[in-house]
Amino acid sequence: MFVATQKGVDMRIGVDIASLAYKKQVNQIILIAGDSDFVPAAKLARREGIDFILDPMWSDIKSDLFEHIDGLKSQWKKRTKAEDKNQ
């Protein structure tokens, strides 16, 4: 039986965000997540002048993450309970 794991994914994304910010390769980062593990990356990006937008896909986020972003927008249509039941 094969079990897939996601070890270190948040860390790799954080390193990518830091690299993009330090190299001034982007003006804006849109992160589709809601995990507070990204607070250091968001904070660093904003310190480097990057516009940091978060799309938590309608999930609640913690206040410590909210205070380190420039914008919050869930782009995708929010699913209804009826749509979830049909899946």
Side-chain angles (χ1 to χ4, degrees), residues 8-43:
V9 173
D10 290 355
M11 177 64 78
R12 288 183 184 102
I13 292 170
V15 168
D16 287 343
I17 290 169
S19 178
L20 292 168
Y22 281 138
K23 293 178 183 178
K24 307 287 188 211
Q25 292 179 321
V26 297
N27 296 320
Q28 184 180 66
I29 293 174
I30 301 172
L31 178 65
I32 300 173
D35 192 337
S36 289
D37 290 346
F38 293 108
V39 167
K43 195 173 179 179

Side-chain angles (χ1 to χ4, degrees), residues 20-73:
L20 292 168
Y22 281 138
K23 293 178 183 178
K24 307 287 188 211
Q25 292 179 321
V26 297
N27 296 320
Q28 184 180 66
I29 293 174
I30 301 172
L31 178 65
I32 300 173
D35 192 337
S36 289
D37 290 346
F38 293 108
V39 167
K43 195 173 179 179
L44 182 144
R46 290 183 71 213
R47 237 187 351 247
E48 291 298 312
I50 306 299
D51 187 36
F52 200 92
I53 308 298
L54 183 69
D55 181 343
M57 297 183 70
W58 301 102
S59 295
D60 293 330
I61 63 168
K62 294 184 178 176
S63 60
D64 60 338
L65 179 57
F66 184 78
E67 71 181 73
H68 294 293
I69 61 174
D70 292 305
L72 179 68
K73 181 174 183 176

